[in-house]
Amino acid sequence: MNERRAGLVYGFAAYGMWGLFPLFWPLLEPAGALEILAHRMVWALVVVAVILLAMRRWAWITELVRQPGRLGLIAVAAVFVSANWGLYIWAVNAGHVVEASLGYFINPLVTIALGVLVLHERLRPVQWAAVGVGALAVVVLTVGYGRLPWIALSLAFSFGVYGLAKKQINMGGLESLAAETSVQFLPALVFLVVLGARGDSTFTHHGPGHAALLAACGLVTAGPLVCFGMAATRLPLSTIGLMQYLTPVFQFLIGVLHFHEEMPPERWAGFLMVWAALVLLTWDAIRGAHRGRTEARAARQAPAVVESPEATDSPLPG
C-alpha cells in the first residue's frame, strides 16, 4: 500500500470514527453528560499517556513547562474543548444530533470569522461571500427552529476558539491532547469521586459492561486522533481539508436516518445554504492550492540567474 492510499485509509478511519460518535454516547446512558465528560477526560489521559510511553515521546514536557505562555494557552484550549465535548454529548443524548452536526458544518465559517476578528486576516471575495451566505443561513435556521440554533453556534464557536488556541500552541496532536487532558484530569477525577461518594455514579452500579464502555471513552477519544495524525503526515493539507466534512455528513445522516429527527423545509433551506457556503470555500481552497502548485512549478522550471564573480560582494569558493 503506497503512502497516499494509506493516508486516505487513516483519514477515512479518523473522520469516520468522529462521524459515528452519535451512535456511541447513547450507549453510556443512564450516565449523564457531565459524568460521561468526566470519564472521557480521565480515561483519555490514561490512554494517551500509555501511547506516549510506548513511543518514548516525553522530551516535549520539559520544554513546555518552561513556557508559561503556552501553558496558559493550553489551559484556554482545555476549557473550550471541555465545553465543546460536554455540549456535544448532551446534545446527542438529548436528541439534537442534526443541530450538533450543523455546528461542525459551520465551524469553518466561524474559524474564518475568528481569523478576521482576532488575527486581522484579510479575506478573498469568495471567502466573504461564503461567510455572508453562512450568516444568512443562521437567520433562516433561526426561523426554521423557532429559536436561535444555539447548540450549533456554541459548538462551532467553542471549537473555533479551541482551534485558534491550538494554532498558537503549535504542538503535535497526541502531545496537545496529553497536555489538555492533564489540565482536565484533576477536576474530572474530583467530580467522579464526589459523584461516587453521593451514590450518584453509574460506573459501579450498572454492571461491568457499562463500566467498560465508560472506560472506553479514552480509546474513543484517542483512536481517531492517532489515525488523523497518520493521515496528516501522508496527505496534502487540501485533501485533509476536504475530508473533514465527512464527520458532520455522517452525523447529519445518523440524525435524520437513524434517530429520525425532523427536517422541515425551513431547516432544509438553512442547511442547503450552509452547504453552498462550504462549496464556495472548498472551490476557493482548491483554486488557491492549484495556483500555488502552478507558481511553484514555474519557479522550479525558471532558469537560474548566475551572477558574475565581479558582481558579488564575496569571493566564490575555491
Side-chain angles (χ1 to χ4, degrees), residues 224-261:
L225 187 64
V226 172
C227 290
F228 173 78
M230 301 290 280
T233 59
R234 291 169 168 82
L235 295 175
L237 188 60
S238 58
T239 303
I240 292 290
L242 291 175
M243 293 183 76
Q244 72 176 328
Y245 297 125
L246 289 174
T247 293
V249 166
F250 286 164
Q251 294 171 353
F252 175 81
L253 292 175
I254 289 171
V256 173
L257 301 178
H258 180 74
F259 291 108
H260 306 292
E261 294 187 18

PDB file of all heavy atoms in Angstrom, residues 224-261:
ATOM      1  N   PRO A 224      -9.315   8.130  17.039  1.00  0.00           N
ATOM      2  CA  PRO A 224      -9.401   8.943  15.822  1.00  0.00           C
ATOM      3  C   PRO A 224      -8.242   9.929  15.684  1.00  0.00           C
ATOM      4  O   PRO A 224      -7.792  10.197  14.572  1.00  0.00           O
ATOM      5  CB  PRO A 224     -10.732   9.699  15.993  1.00  0.00           C
ATOM      6  CG  PRO A 224     -11.504   8.885  16.968  1.00  0.00           C
ATOM      7  CD  PRO A 224     -10.508   8.265  17.889  1.00  0.00           C
ATOM      8  N   LEU A 225      -7.768  10.437  16.821  1.00  0.00           N
ATOM      9  CA  LEU A 225      -6.666  11.403  16.766  1.00  0.00           C
ATOM     10  C   LEU A 225      -5.391  10.744  16.252  1.00  0.00           C
ATOM     11  O   LEU A 225      -4.641  11.338  15.473  1.00  0.00           O
ATOM     12  CB  LEU A 225      -6.428  12.007  18.148  1.00  0.00           C
ATOM     13  CG  LEU A 225      -5.425  13.154  18.199  1.00  0.00           C
ATOM     14  CD1 LEU A 225      -5.936  14.335  17.392  1.00  0.00           C
ATOM     15  CD2 LEU A 225      -5.150  13.577  19.627  1.00  0.00           C
ATOM     16  N   VAL A 226      -5.125   9.504  16.675  1.00  0.00           N
ATOM     17  CA  VAL A 226      -3.958   8.776  16.183  1.00  0.00           C
ATOM     18  C   VAL A 226      -4.075   8.564  14.673  1.00  0.00           C
ATOM     19  O   VAL A 226      -3.115   8.787  13.921  1.00  0.00           O
ATOM     20  CB  VAL A 226      -3.807   7.434  16.922  1.00  0.00           C
ATOM     21  CG1 VAL A 226      -2.706   6.591  16.283  1.00  0.00           C
ATOM     22  CG2 VAL A 226      -3.502   7.665  18.400  1.00  0.00           C
ATOM     23  N   CYS A 227      -5.260   8.147  14.216  1.00  0.00           N
ATOM     24  CA  CYS A 227      -5.466   7.935  12.777  1.00  0.00           C
ATOM     25  C   CYS A 227      -5.323   9.246  12.010  1.00  0.00           C
ATOM     26  O   CYS A 227      -4.755   9.272  10.911  1.00  0.00           O
ATOM     27  CB  CYS A 227      -6.849   7.333  12.530  1.00  0.00           C
ATOM     28  SG  CYS A 227      -7.020   5.624  13.086  1.00  0.00           S
ATOM     29  N   PHE A 228      -5.826  10.342  12.596  1.00  0.00           N
ATOM     30  CA  PHE A 228      -5.697  11.632  11.938  1.00  0.00           C
ATOM     31  C   PHE A 228      -4.226  12.014  11.790  1.00  0.00           C
ATOM     32  O   PHE A 228      -3.812  12.524  10.738  1.00  0.00           O
ATOM     33  CB  PHE A 228      -6.427  12.705  12.742  1.00  0.00           C
ATOM     34  CG  PHE A 228      -6.202  14.101  12.213  1.00  0.00           C
ATOM     35  CD1 PHE A 228      -6.883  14.552  11.099  1.00  0.00           C
ATOM     36  CD2 PHE A 228      -5.297  14.943  12.831  1.00  0.00           C
ATOM     37  CE1 PHE A 228      -6.660  15.825  10.600  1.00  0.00           C
ATOM     38  CE2 PHE A 228      -5.068  16.221  12.346  1.00  0.00           C
ATOM     39  CZ  PHE A 228      -5.754  16.661  11.227  1.00  0.00           C
ATOM     40  N   GLY A 229      -3.443  11.775  12.823  1.00  0.00           N
ATOM     41  CA  GLY A 229      -2.019  12.076  12.752  1.00  0.00           C
ATOM     42  C   GLY A 229      -1.325  11.283  11.659  1.00  0.00           C
ATOM     43  O   GLY A 229      -0.468  11.812  10.930  1.00  0.00           O
ATOM     44  N   MET A 230      -1.709  10.013  11.511  1.00  0.00           N
ATOM     45  CA  MET A 230      -1.128   9.177  10.463  1.00  0.00           C
ATOM     46  C   MET A 230      -1.532   9.671   9.077  1.00  0.00           C
ATOM     47  O   MET A 230      -0.757   9.607   8.119  1.00  0.00           O
ATOM     48  CB  MET A 230      -1.579   7.728  10.645  1.00  0.00           C
ATOM     49  CG  MET A 230      -1.203   7.119  11.987  1.00  0.00           C
ATOM     50  SD  MET A 230       0.565   6.819  12.164  1.00  0.00           S
ATOM     51  CE  MET A 230       0.728   5.304  11.244  1.00  0.00           C
ATOM     52  N   ALA A 231      -2.766  10.180   8.957  1.00  0.00           N
ATOM     53  CA  ALA A 231      -3.225  10.700   7.670  1.00  0.00           C
ATOM     54  C   ALA A 231      -2.548  12.018   7.337  1.00  0.00           C
ATOM     55  O   ALA A 231      -2.166  12.263   6.188  1.00  0.00           O
ATOM     56  CB  ALA A 231      -4.742  10.881   7.697  1.00  0.00           C
ATOM     57  N   ALA A 232      -2.399  12.885   8.347  1.00  0.00           N
ATOM     58  CA  ALA A 232      -1.867  14.226   8.108  1.00  0.00           C
ATOM     59  C   ALA A 232      -0.431  14.194   7.591  1.00  0.00           C
ATOM     60  O   ALA A 232      -0.017  15.089   6.861  1.00  0.00           O
ATOM     61  CB  ALA A 232      -1.946  15.052   9.392  1.00  0.00           C
ATOM     62  N   THR A 233       0.327  13.168   7.970  1.00  0.00           N
ATOM     63  CA  THR A 233       1.711  13.070   7.506  1.00  0.00           C
ATOM     64  C   THR A 233       1.817  12.477   6.111  1.00  0.00           C
ATOM     65  O   THR A 233       2.911  12.483   5.518  1.00  0.00           O
ATOM     66  CB  THR A 233       2.544  12.207   8.474  1.00  0.00           C
ATOM     67  OG1 THR A 233       1.967  10.893   8.560  1.00  0.00           O
ATOM     68  CG2 THR A 233       2.576  12.832   9.868  1.00  0.00           C
ATOM     69  N   ARG A 234       0.720  11.962   5.564  1.00  0.00           N
ATOM     70  CA  ARG A 234       0.758  11.281   4.265  1.00  0.00           C
ATOM     71  C   ARG A 234      -0.054  11.988   3.182  1.00  0.00           C
ATOM     72  O   ARG A 234       0.072  11.641   2.003  1.00  0.00           O
ATOM     73  CB  ARG A 234       0.228   9.844   4.419  1.00  0.00           C
ATOM     74  CG  ARG A 234       1.142   8.938   5.224  1.00  0.00           C
ATOM     75  CD  ARG A 234       0.443   7.625   5.560  1.00  0.00           C
ATOM     76  NE  ARG A 234       1.372   6.632   6.088  1.00  0.00           N
ATOM     77  CZ  ARG A 234       1.770   6.594   7.355  1.00  0.00           C
ATOM     78  NH1 ARG A 234       1.308   7.503   8.213  1.00  0.00           N
ATOM     79  NH2 ARG A 234       2.611   5.669   7.764  1.00  0.00           N
ATOM     80  N   LEU A 235      -0.906  12.938   3.568  1.00  0.00           N
ATOM     81  CA  LEU A 235      -1.802  13.566   2.608  1.00  0.00           C
ATOM     82  C   LEU A 235      -1.563  15.074   2.545  1.00  0.00           C
ATOM     83  O   LEU A 235      -1.175  15.684   3.543  1.00  0.00           O
ATOM     84  CB  LEU A 235      -3.266  13.309   2.998  1.00  0.00           C
ATOM     85  CG  LEU A 235      -3.752  11.863   2.948  1.00  0.00           C
ATOM     86  CD1 LEU A 235      -5.174  11.782   3.478  1.00  0.00           C
ATOM     87  CD2 LEU A 235      -3.683  11.301   1.535  1.00  0.00           C
ATOM     88  N   PRO A 236      -1.832  15.686   1.389  1.00  0.00           N
ATOM     89  CA  PRO A 236      -1.764  17.146   1.304  1.00  0.00           C
ATOM     90  C   PRO A 236      -2.818  17.779   2.211  1.00  0.00           C
ATOM     91  O   PRO A 236      -3.878  17.183   2.471  1.00  0.00           O
ATOM     92  CB  PRO A 236      -2.059  17.439  -0.174  1.00  0.00           C
ATOM     93  CG  PRO A 236      -1.854  16.146  -0.885  1.00  0.00           C
ATOM     94  CD  PRO A 236      -2.162  15.063   0.089  1.00  0.00           C
ATOM     95  N   LEU A 237      -2.534  18.996   2.663  1.00  0.00           N
ATOM     96  CA  LEU A 237      -3.466  19.684   3.548  1.00  0.00           C
ATOM     97  C   LEU A 237      -4.809  19.908   2.873  1.00  0.00           C
ATOM     98  O   LEU A 237      -5.857  19.869   3.517  1.00  0.00           O
ATOM     99  CB  LEU A 237      -2.859  21.029   3.981  1.00  0.00           C
ATOM    100  CG  LEU A 237      -3.620  21.809   5.064  1.00  0.00           C
ATOM    101  CD1 LEU A 237      -3.717  20.993   6.347  1.00  0.00           C
ATOM    102  CD2 LEU A 237      -2.946  23.138   5.324  1.00  0.00           C
ATOM    103  N   SER A 238      -4.799  20.127   1.550  1.00  0.00           N
ATOM    104  CA  SER A 238      -6.055  20.339   0.830  1.00  0.00           C
ATOM    105  C   SER A 238      -6.949  19.101   0.893  1.00  0.00           C
ATOM    106  O   SER A 238      -8.174  19.213   1.019  1.00  0.00           O
ATOM    107  CB  SER A 238      -5.774  20.711  -0.626  1.00  0.00           C
ATOM    108  OG  SER A 238      -5.005  19.697  -1.271  1.00  0.00           O
ATOM    109  N   THR A 239      -6.343  17.919   0.820  1.00  0.00           N
ATOM    110  CA  THR A 239      -7.122  16.680   0.915  1.00  0.00           C
ATOM    111  C   THR A 239      -7.703  16.507   2.311  1.00  0.00           C
ATOM    112  O   THR A 239      -8.873  16.144   2.474  1.00  0.00           O
ATOM    113  CB  THR A 239      -6.242  15.470   0.565  1.00  0.00           C
ATOM    114  OG1 THR A 239      -5.687  15.644  -0.737  1.00  0.00           O
ATOM    115  CG2 THR A 239      -7.048  14.178   0.597  1.00  0.00           C
ATOM    116  N   ILE A 240      -6.888  16.793   3.329  1.00  0.00           N
ATOM    117  CA  ILE A 240      -7.373  16.725   4.707  1.00  0.00           C
ATOM    118  C   ILE A 240      -8.537  17.696   4.901  1.00  0.00           C
ATOM    119  O   ILE A 240      -9.541  17.385   5.557  1.00  0.00           O
ATOM    120  CB  ILE A 240      -6.232  17.058   5.699  1.00  0.00           C
ATOM    121  CG1 ILE A 240      -5.174  15.948   5.684  1.00  0.00           C
ATOM    122  CG2 ILE A 240      -6.765  17.257   7.108  1.00  0.00           C
ATOM    123  CD1 ILE A 240      -5.628  14.643   6.285  1.00  0.00           C
ATOM    124  N   GLY A 241      -8.412  18.893   4.316  1.00  0.00           N
ATOM    125  CA  GLY A 241      -9.466  19.889   4.443  1.00  0.00           C
ATOM    126  C   GLY A 241     -10.781  19.428   3.848  1.00  0.00           C
ATOM    127  O   GLY A 241     -11.851  19.704   4.396  1.00  0.00           O
ATOM    128  N   LEU A 242     -10.718  18.707   2.732  1.00  0.00           N
ATOM    129  CA  LEU A 242     -11.937  18.188   2.117  1.00  0.00           C
ATOM    130  C   LEU A 242     -12.525  17.037   2.930  1.00  0.00           C
ATOM    131  O   LEU A 242     -13.751  16.926   3.076  1.00  0.00           O
ATOM    132  CB  LEU A 242     -11.646  17.727   0.687  1.00  0.00           C
ATOM    133  CG  LEU A 242     -11.334  18.823  -0.327  1.00  0.00           C
ATOM    134  CD1 LEU A 242     -10.937  18.209  -1.664  1.00  0.00           C
ATOM    135  CD2 LEU A 242     -12.530  19.748  -0.504  1.00  0.00           C
ATOM    136  N   MET A 243     -11.660  16.191   3.488  1.00  0.00           N
ATOM    137  CA  MET A 243     -12.142  15.026   4.218  1.00  0.00           C
ATOM    138  C   MET A 243     -12.822  15.404   5.530  1.00  0.00           C
ATOM    139  O   MET A 243     -13.639  14.636   6.054  1.00  0.00           O
ATOM    140  CB  MET A 243     -10.978  14.068   4.500  1.00  0.00           C
ATOM    141  CG  MET A 243     -10.385  13.423   3.262  1.00  0.00           C
ATOM    142  SD  MET A 243      -9.071  12.248   3.639  1.00  0.00           S
ATOM    143  CE  MET A 243     -10.041  10.869   4.232  1.00  0.00           C
ATOM    144  N   GLN A 244     -12.521  16.598   6.064  1.00  0.00           N
ATOM    145  CA  GLN A 244     -13.090  16.970   7.356  1.00  0.00           C
ATOM    146  C   GLN A 244     -14.616  17.059   7.315  1.00  0.00           C
ATOM    147  O   GLN A 244     -15.279  16.927   8.342  1.00  0.00           O
ATOM    148  CB  GLN A 244     -12.517  18.308   7.819  1.00  0.00           C
ATOM    149  CG  GLN A 244     -13.015  19.508   7.034  1.00  0.00           C
ATOM    150  CD  GLN A 244     -12.517  20.822   7.579  1.00  0.00           C
ATOM    151  OE1 GLN A 244     -12.310  20.956   8.772  1.00  0.00           O
ATOM    152  NE2 GLN A 244     -12.294  21.785   6.697  1.00  0.00           N
ATOM    153  N   TYR A 245     -15.180  17.262   6.110  1.00  0.00           N
ATOM    154  CA  TYR A 245     -16.632  17.363   6.008  1.00  0.00           C
ATOM    155  C   TYR A 245     -17.321  16.006   6.146  1.00  0.00           C
ATOM    156  O   TYR A 245     -18.552  15.949   6.277  1.00  0.00           O
ATOM    157  CB  TYR A 245     -17.017  18.015   4.674  1.00  0.00           C
ATOM    158  CG  TYR A 245     -16.526  19.436   4.540  1.00  0.00           C
ATOM    159  CD1 TYR A 245     -15.754  19.829   3.454  1.00  0.00           C
ATOM    160  CD2 TYR A 245     -16.824  20.389   5.510  1.00  0.00           C
ATOM    161  CE1 TYR A 245     -15.287  21.132   3.335  1.00  0.00           C
ATOM    162  CE2 TYR A 245     -16.367  21.687   5.402  1.00  0.00           C
ATOM    163  CZ  TYR A 245     -15.597  22.054   4.314  1.00  0.00           C
ATOM    164  OH  TYR A 245     -15.142  23.340   4.211  1.00  0.00           O
ATOM    165  N   LEU A 246     -16.551  14.930   6.089  1.00  0.00           N
ATOM    166  CA  LEU A 246     -17.153  13.607   6.268  1.00  0.00           C
ATOM    167  C   LEU A 246     -17.805  13.477   7.646  1.00  0.00           C
ATOM    168  O   LEU A 246     -18.865  12.866   7.780  1.00  0.00           O
ATOM    169  CB  LEU A 246     -16.092  12.513   6.111  1.00  0.00           C
ATOM    170  CG  LEU A 246     -15.547  12.267   4.704  1.00  0.00           C
ATOM    171  CD1 LEU A 246     -14.398  11.264   4.766  1.00  0.00           C
ATOM    172  CD2 LEU A 246     -16.654  11.753   3.789  1.00  0.00           C
ATOM    173  N   THR A 247     -17.171  14.053   8.672  1.00  0.00           N
ATOM    174  CA  THR A 247     -17.689  13.901  10.032  1.00  0.00           C
ATOM    175  C   THR A 247     -19.094  14.481  10.183  1.00  0.00           C
ATOM    176  O   THR A 247     -20.013  13.766  10.593  1.00  0.00           O
ATOM    177  CB  THR A 247     -16.719  14.538  11.046  1.00  0.00           C
ATOM    178  OG1 THR A 247     -15.499  13.788  11.055  1.00  0.00           O
ATOM    179  CG2 THR A 247     -17.308  14.529  12.439  1.00  0.00           C
ATOM    180  N   PRO A 248     -19.332  15.771   9.864  1.00  0.00           N
ATOM    181  CA  PRO A 248     -20.706  16.264  10.015  1.00  0.00           C
ATOM    182  C   PRO A 248     -21.694  15.627   9.043  1.00  0.00           C
ATOM    183  O   PRO A 248     -22.888  15.543   9.351  1.00  0.00           O
ATOM    184  CB  PRO A 248     -20.571  17.775   9.766  1.00  0.00           C
ATOM    185  CG  PRO A 248     -19.310  17.939   9.002  1.00  0.00           C
ATOM    186  CD  PRO A 248     -18.408  16.844   9.482  1.00  0.00           C
ATOM    187  N   VAL A 249     -21.203  15.167   7.875  1.00  0.00           N
ATOM    188  CA  VAL A 249     -22.114  14.463   6.953  1.00  0.00           C
ATOM    189  C   VAL A 249     -22.623  13.181   7.598  1.00  0.00           C
ATOM    190  O   VAL A 249     -23.830  12.886   7.586  1.00  0.00           O
ATOM    191  CB  VAL A 249     -21.406  14.157   5.615  1.00  0.00           C
ATOM    192  CG1 VAL A 249     -22.207  13.137   4.808  1.00  0.00           C
ATOM    193  CG2 VAL A 249     -21.222  15.434   4.804  1.00  0.00           C
ATOM    194  N   PHE A 250     -21.708  12.394   8.175  1.00  0.00           N
ATOM    195  CA  PHE A 250     -22.116  11.166   8.865  1.00  0.00           C
ATOM    196  C   PHE A 250     -23.063  11.479  10.022  1.00  0.00           C
ATOM    197  O   PHE A 250     -24.075  10.799  10.225  1.00  0.00           O
ATOM    198  CB  PHE A 250     -20.891  10.426   9.397  1.00  0.00           C
ATOM    199  CG  PHE A 250     -20.079   9.737   8.340  1.00  0.00           C
ATOM    200  CD1 PHE A 250     -18.784   9.317   8.607  1.00  0.00           C
ATOM    201  CD2 PHE A 250     -20.583   9.502   7.075  1.00  0.00           C
ATOM    202  CE1 PHE A 250     -18.017   8.677   7.641  1.00  0.00           C
ATOM    203  CE2 PHE A 250     -19.832   8.874   6.095  1.00  0.00           C
ATOM    204  CZ  PHE A 250     -18.547   8.464   6.381  1.00  0.00           C
ATOM    205  N   GLN A 251     -22.745  12.520  10.793  1.00  0.00           N
ATOM    206  CA  GLN A 251     -23.584  12.879  11.934  1.00  0.00           C
ATOM    207  C   GLN A 251     -24.977  13.303  11.477  1.00  0.00           C
ATOM    208  O   GLN A 251     -25.984  12.925  12.090  1.00  0.00           O
ATOM    209  CB  GLN A 251     -22.914  14.004  12.728  1.00  0.00           C
ATOM    210  CG  GLN A 251     -21.609  13.586  13.391  1.00  0.00           C
ATOM    211  CD  GLN A 251     -20.850  14.757  13.983  1.00  0.00           C
ATOM    212  OE1 GLN A 251     -21.225  15.914  13.789  1.00  0.00           O
ATOM    213  NE2 GLN A 251     -19.779  14.477  14.691  1.00  0.00           N
ATOM    214  N   PHE A 252     -25.024  14.083  10.411  1.00  0.00           N
ATOM    215  CA  PHE A 252     -26.313  14.528   9.876  1.00  0.00           C
ATOM    216  C   PHE A 252     -27.151  13.334   9.411  1.00  0.00           C
ATOM    217  O   PHE A 252     -28.345  13.240   9.730  1.00  0.00           O
ATOM    218  CB  PHE A 252     -26.079  15.487   8.712  1.00  0.00           C
ATOM    219  CG  PHE A 252     -27.325  15.922   8.005  1.00  0.00           C
ATOM    220  CD1 PHE A 252     -28.113  16.938   8.525  1.00  0.00           C
ATOM    221  CD2 PHE A 252     -27.723  15.317   6.815  1.00  0.00           C
ATOM    222  CE1 PHE A 252     -29.277  17.344   7.864  1.00  0.00           C
ATOM    223  CE2 PHE A 252     -28.873  15.709   6.163  1.00  0.00           C
ATOM    224  CZ  PHE A 252     -29.649  16.727   6.685  1.00  0.00           C
ATOM    225  N   LEU A 253     -26.516  12.422   8.678  1.00  0.00           N
ATOM    226  CA  LEU A 253     -27.243  11.248   8.187  1.00  0.00           C
ATOM    227  C   LEU A 253     -27.729  10.368   9.336  1.00  0.00           C
ATOM    228  O   LEU A 253     -28.852   9.828   9.282  1.00  0.00           O
ATOM    229  CB  LEU A 253     -26.353  10.440   7.242  1.00  0.00           C
ATOM    230  CG  LEU A 253     -26.011  11.117   5.903  1.00  0.00           C
ATOM    231  CD1 LEU A 253     -25.021  10.267   5.116  1.00  0.00           C
ATOM    232  CD2 LEU A 253     -27.272  11.369   5.086  1.00  0.00           C
ATOM    233  N   ILE A 254     -26.921  10.226  10.365  1.00  0.00           N
ATOM    234  CA  ILE A 254     -27.345   9.441  11.528  1.00  0.00           C
ATOM    235  C   ILE A 254     -28.542  10.105  12.201  1.00  0.00           C
ATOM    236  O   ILE A 254     -29.508   9.432  12.599  1.00  0.00           O
ATOM    237  CB  ILE A 254     -26.176   9.277  12.525  1.00  0.00           C
ATOM    238  CG1 ILE A 254     -25.124   8.325  11.941  1.00  0.00           C
ATOM    239  CG2 ILE A 254     -26.669   8.742  13.877  1.00  0.00           C
ATOM    240  CD1 ILE A 254     -23.845   8.265  12.751  1.00  0.00           C
ATOM    241  N   GLY A 255     -28.494  11.432  12.333  1.00  0.00           N
ATOM    242  CA  GLY A 255     -29.610  12.140  12.959  1.00  0.00           C
ATOM    243  C   GLY A 255     -30.900  11.993  12.184  1.00  0.00           C
ATOM    244  O   GLY A 255     -31.973  11.799  12.770  1.00  0.00           O
ATOM    245  N   VAL A 256     -30.814  12.061  10.855  1.00  0.00           N
ATOM    246  CA  VAL A 256     -32.020  12.002  10.021  1.00  0.00           C
ATOM    247  C   VAL A 256     -32.501  10.570   9.808  1.00  0.00           C
ATOM    248  O   VAL A 256     -33.693  10.271   9.946  1.00  0.00           O
ATOM    249  CB  VAL A 256     -31.767  12.687   8.659  1.00  0.00           C
ATOM    250  CG1 VAL A 256     -32.948  12.487   7.714  1.00  0.00           C
ATOM    251  CG2 VAL A 256     -31.509  14.179   8.863  1.00  0.00           C
ATOM    252  N   LEU A 257     -31.573   9.662   9.469  1.00  0.00           N
ATOM    253  CA  LEU A 257     -31.962   8.302   9.077  1.00  0.00           C
ATOM    254  C   LEU A 257     -32.079   7.345  10.256  1.00  0.00           C
ATOM    255  O   LEU A 257     -32.924   6.430  10.230  1.00  0.00           O
ATOM    256  CB  LEU A 257     -30.949   7.748   8.070  1.00  0.00           C
ATOM    257  CG  LEU A 257     -30.786   8.554   6.774  1.00  0.00           C
ATOM    258  CD1 LEU A 257     -29.713   7.933   5.883  1.00  0.00           C
ATOM    259  CD2 LEU A 257     -32.117   8.656   6.034  1.00  0.00           C
ATOM    260  N   HIS A 258     -31.227   7.511  11.281  1.00  0.00           N
ATOM    261  CA  HIS A 258     -31.249   6.578  12.411  1.00  0.00           C
ATOM    262  C   HIS A 258     -32.139   7.083  13.550  1.00  0.00           C
ATOM    263  O   HIS A 258     -32.961   6.330  14.072  1.00  0.00           O
ATOM    264  CB  HIS A 258     -29.829   6.344  12.916  1.00  0.00           C
ATOM    265  CG  HIS A 258     -29.761   5.384  14.077  1.00  0.00           C
ATOM    266  ND1 HIS A 258     -29.934   4.020  13.936  1.00  0.00           N
ATOM    267  CD2 HIS A 258     -29.551   5.591  15.412  1.00  0.00           C
ATOM    268  CE1 HIS A 258     -29.828   3.427  15.117  1.00  0.00           C
ATOM    269  NE2 HIS A 258     -29.596   4.365  16.030  1.00  0.00           N
ATOM    270  N   PHE A 259     -31.970   8.346  13.914  1.00  0.00           N
ATOM    271  CA  PHE A 259     -32.760   8.892  15.021  1.00  0.00           C
ATOM    272  C   PHE A 259     -34.048   9.554  14.546  1.00  0.00           C
ATOM    273  O   PHE A 259     -34.866   9.973  15.370  1.00  0.00           O
ATOM    274  CB  PHE A 259     -31.919   9.897  15.821  1.00  0.00           C
ATOM    275  CG  PHE A 259     -30.791   9.264  16.586  1.00  0.00           C
ATOM    276  CD1 PHE A 259     -29.474   9.442  16.182  1.00  0.00           C
ATOM    277  CD2 PHE A 259     -31.038   8.469  17.699  1.00  0.00           C
ATOM    278  CE1 PHE A 259     -28.423   8.856  16.884  1.00  0.00           C
ATOM    279  CE2 PHE A 259     -29.990   7.883  18.405  1.00  0.00           C
ATOM    280  CZ  PHE A 259     -28.686   8.071  17.996  1.00  0.00           C
ATOM    281  N   HIS A 260     -34.234   9.654  13.237  1.00  0.00           N
ATOM    282  CA  HIS A 260     -35.475  10.177  12.642  1.00  0.00           C
ATOM    283  C   HIS A 260     -35.832  11.568  13.171  1.00  0.00           C
ATOM    284  O   HIS A 260     -36.996  11.843  13.485  1.00  0.00           O
ATOM    285  CB  HIS A 260     -36.635   9.205  12.884  1.00  0.00           C
ATOM    286  CG  HIS A 260     -36.360   7.808  12.424  1.00  0.00           C
ATOM    287  ND1 HIS A 260     -36.232   7.462  11.093  1.00  0.00           N
ATOM    288  CD2 HIS A 260     -36.153   6.653  13.128  1.00  0.00           C
ATOM    289  CE1 HIS A 260     -35.979   6.164  10.991  1.00  0.00           C
ATOM    290  NE2 HIS A 260     -35.913   5.656  12.208  1.00  0.00           N
ATOM    291  N   GLU A 261     -34.826  12.433  13.257  1.00  0.00           N
ATOM    292  CA  GLU A 261     -35.107  13.804  13.682  1.00  0.00           C
ATOM    293  C   GLU A 261     -35.800  14.551  12.542  1.00  0.00           C
ATOM    294  O   GLU A 261     -35.558  14.291  11.369  1.00  0.00           O
ATOM    295  CB  GLU A 261     -33.808  14.512  14.080  1.00  0.00           C
ATOM    296  CG  GLU A 261     -33.169  13.912  15.324  1.00  0.00           C
ATOM    297  CD  GLU A 261     -31.976  14.723  15.803  1.00  0.00           C
ATOM    298  OE1 GLU A 261     -31.842  15.898  15.398  1.00  0.00           O
ATOM    299  OE2 GLU A 261     -31.176  14.190  16.593  1.00  0.00           O
TER     300      GLU A 261
END
